[in-house]
């Protein structure tokens, strides 16, 4: 794909994500009336997730019929293109349902095994993160950079967990951080965890297993902000199976890889 085509997609995607965020926010404000289903242990989907994903899929497939599309709720559509849009319509659904304003719309474009566009929008704070490979990472139009932390003792990690992995894996990661005097926090949105690592609010993000739609946008955001990410798309079938993720500020890559065995 040439740079003009990529630029077109970058601009279009930001508008679509903002619109999807407004749709989600409208439903968040009347969340008591939303139908919610349980997909697994502590894993929920509301009618807002489905409506937002259908809206984004429809808009992207109409504008770019040659691209593939993968959504958390609807799966893969138009398979076979080298370029795949990957969306999590609401990342942080548990927070969304509970009325905690830490959730977002996350949209990435992956070509081959590289995330080349990433947009993460938190409608409750109106924060829009956007990154394009080679062009930098931005929050509301302002360039962002990862933190300059060099010592675990001064750092704060975002740690995520889902029941897709044994409880003990998470307990081990929490205890490794605390033993190393590294603070940790768990927000319940992997995409916002990656965004906060990209703008230096956190010094990194780790989760033993995460899905492609949780990190497709965060990966390019993090690297364009000067950070390091484990090779999420390097393993086979990660679009479907997911992978481990470690994202870190450059000064903490080696200590965190050792600490978390990544
Ligand atoms: C989950 C959140 C959570 C992370 C899980 C994800 P959902 O996504 O990002 O923070 O730890 O791995 O599945 O269900 O809110 O879209
Ligand atoms: Ca998610
Ligand atoms: Ca989701």
């Amino acid at each position: 794909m040439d740079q003009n085509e990529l630029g077109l997609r970058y601009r279009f995607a930001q508008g679509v994500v903002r619109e999807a965020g407004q749709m989600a926010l409208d439903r968040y404000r009347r969340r008591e009336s939303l139908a919610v289903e349980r997909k697994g242990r502590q894993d929920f989907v509301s009618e807002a997730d489905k409506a937002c994903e259908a809206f984004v899929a429809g808009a992207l497939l109409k504008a770019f019929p040659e691209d593939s599309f993968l959504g958390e709720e609807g799966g893969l559509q138009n398979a076979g293109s080298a370029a795949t849009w990957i969306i999590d319509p609401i990342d942080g659904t548990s927070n969304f349902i509970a009325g905690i304003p830490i959730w977002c719309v996350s949209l990435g474009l992956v070509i081959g095994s590289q995330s080349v566009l990433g947009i993460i929008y938190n409608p409750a704070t109106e924060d829009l993160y956007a990154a394009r490979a080679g062009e930098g990472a931005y929050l509301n139009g302002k360039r962002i950079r990862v933190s300059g932390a060099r010592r675990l003792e001064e750092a704060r990690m975002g740690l995520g967990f889902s029941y897709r992995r044994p409880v003990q894996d998470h307990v081990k990661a929490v205890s490794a951080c605390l033993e190393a005097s590294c603070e940790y926090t768990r927000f319940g949105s992997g995409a916002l965890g990656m965004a906060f690592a990209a703008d230096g609010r956190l010094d990194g993000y780790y989760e033993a297993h995460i899905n492609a739609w949780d990190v497709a946008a965060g990966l390019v955001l993090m690297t364009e902000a000067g950070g390091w990410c484990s090779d999420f798309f390097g393993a086979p079938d990660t679009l479907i199976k997911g992978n481990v993720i470690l994202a870190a500020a450059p000064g903490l890559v080696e200590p965190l890889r050792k600490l978390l065995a990544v």
Side-chain angles (χ1 to χ4, degrees):
M1 182 178 297
D2 69 30
Q3 288 304 320
N4 282 342
E5 288 176 292
L6 198 60
L8 190 69
R9 282 165 173 77
Y10 190 37
R11 288 186 295 277
F12 185 83
Q14 290 179 54
V16 171
V17 166
R18 261 188 210 282
E19 234 181 295
Q22 288 313 309
M23 281 177 68
L25 187 62
D26 168 59
R27 285 157 177 81
Y28 176 74
R29 289 182 175 141
R30 51 180 175 82
R31 59 191 168 275
E32 293 76 16
S33 65
L34 293 181
V36 176
E37 292 161 48
R38 196 169 158 273
K39 297 195 284 186
R41 283 173 91 184
Q42 291 286 347
D43 188 7
F44 305 98
V45 58
S46 77
E47 58 182 276
D49 301 63
K50 293 179 186 172
C52 289
E53 183 171 316
F55 167 74
V56 176
L60 291 175
L61 288 170
K62 189 169 169 211
F64 308 109
E66 61 277 38
D67 297 352
S68 299
F69 184 92
L70 174 69
E72 175 175 13
E73 312 305 339
L76 189 61
Q77 296 181 57
N78 219 21
S81 167
T84 305
W85 294 97
I86 305 182
I87 184 158
D88 192 336
I90 297 177
D91 185 58
T93 299
S94 300
N95 288 340
F96 180 96
I97 294 165
I100 298 169
I102 304 177
W103 53 271
C104 61
V105 180
S106 176
L107 176 66
L109 180 69
V110 172
I111 299 183
S113 60
Q114 207 204 342
S115 168
V116 293
L117 297 181
I119 297 132
I120 293 176
Y121 182 48
N122 177 351
T125 58
E126 295 184 14
D127 279 342
L128 183 100
Y129 291 88
R132 170 176 170 184
E135 302 278 322
Y138 298 83
L139 167 56
N140 298 330
K142 269 179 76 178
R143 191 93 190 236
I144 53 170
R145 294 199 188 282
V146 290
S147 90
R150 306 197 61 82
R151 291 155 51 89
L152 288 173
E153 293 91 322
E154 293 154 8
R156 180 146 64 126
M157 285 295 289
L159 297 182
F161 170 72
S162 77
Y163 283 96
R164 297 184 299 269
R165 281 291 179 273
V167 172
Q168 271 315 310
D169 286 10
H170 184 63
V171 172
K172 257 168 74 182
V174 170
S175 103
C177 285
L178 294 180
E179 293 289 353
S181 307
C182 175
E183 237 332 329
Y184 78 95
T185 191
R186 185 172 161 217
F187 290 118
S189 164
L192 281 179
M194 294 288 286
F196 292 165
D199 73 4
R201 295 186 215 199
L202 294 174
D203 301 294
Y205 186 82
Y206 168 78
E207 189 159 342
H209 176 271
I210 200 152
N211 283 308
W213 43 83
D214 300 311
V215 293
L219 288 165
V220 62
L221 205 64
M222 186 65 191
T223 46
E224 285 300 317
W228 176 90
C229 294
S230 54
D231 185 12
F232 182 86
F233 288 113
D237 300 330
T238 42
L239 278 191
I240 299 146
K241 290 187 185 159
N243 201 352
V244 61
I245 183 70
L246 174 62
L252 292 176
V253 174
E254 289 319 316
L256 283 171
R257 289 187 73 175
K258 205 165 151 207
L259 189 75
L260 298 162
V262 177

